Amino acid sequence: MKKNDVILAAALIGIALAAFGGAALYSQLTTKEPEAVVRLDGEEKGRYPLSEDTTVEIRQEDGSYNILRVESGKARILKASCPDKVCVSHRPISRQGESLICLPNRLAVEIENGAESGIDASVLSR
Ligand SMILES: [Zn+2]
């Protein structure tokens, strides 16, 4: 009897954890987080959520590079090989549609997030 109670409790905890995990996963799949999208020559090279602090080095075959820093929900270019350093001196970006452009390196970092919600809505209403 007592053993059964323990098993029941364990099973309930297991179910609760599974439900919690499922809900967390679901919200992760459905919530569109702001992301910094890195493109080289218009080709997507990577996506980095602004919620995660990270440093990314984008190095090209000719030796040119940009170092992207994501910190406190903002993205900026920390360092770059370009001569003008326009990208480095640009203020950090965090809002939909904002971008960091490095013309000499043909690099673009753009913020993307819930912009597709409009498209989703129109699909649903069709
Ligand atoms: Zn630059």
Side-chain angles (χ1 to χ4, degrees):
M1 194 65 182
K2 184 133 196 183
K3 197 180 171 191
N4 283 345
D5 283 352
V6 171
I7 291 168
L8 184 68
L12 284 176
I13 290 168
I15 290 166
L17 283 177
F20 180 77
L25 184 68
Y26 182 75
S27 77
Q28 224 171 42
L29 288 173
T30 53
T31 308
K32 286 178 181 118
E33 269 194 282
E35 293 176 312
V37 182
V38 175
R39 288 193 182 87
L40 267 182
D41 270 331
E43 194 183 320
E44 191 174 313
K45 291 290 172 192
R47 288 174 173 263
Y48 307 94
L50 295 185
S51 57
E52 260 172 62
D53 290 3
T54 184
T55 306
V56 187
E57 185 176 333
I58 303 124
R59 191 173 281 276
Q60 303 185 49
E61 278 169 22
D62 63 3
S64 58
Y65 66 90
N66 293 76
I67 295 174
L68 171 72
R69 174 78 185 145
V70 176
E71 196 173 16
S72 311
K74 289 178 177 169
R76 67 195 170 104
I77 301 292
L78 210 60
K79 236 179 143 192
S81 62
C82 59
D84 60 14
K85 301 281 188 289
V86 167
C87 54
V88 180
S89 58
H90 196 287
R91 67 186 171 81
I93 58 170
S94 61
R95 296 214 181 120
Q96 170 66 27
E98 284 185 317
S99 57
L100 297 164
I101 309 283
C102 184
L103 280 179
N105 291 356
R106 306 176 316 282
L107 176 102
V109 180
E110 201 178 336
I111 301 299
E112 287 187 8
N113 57 14
E116 300 95 292
S117 65
I119 297 164
D120 288 348
S122 68
V123 168
L124 284 173
S125 66
R126 217 174 273 160

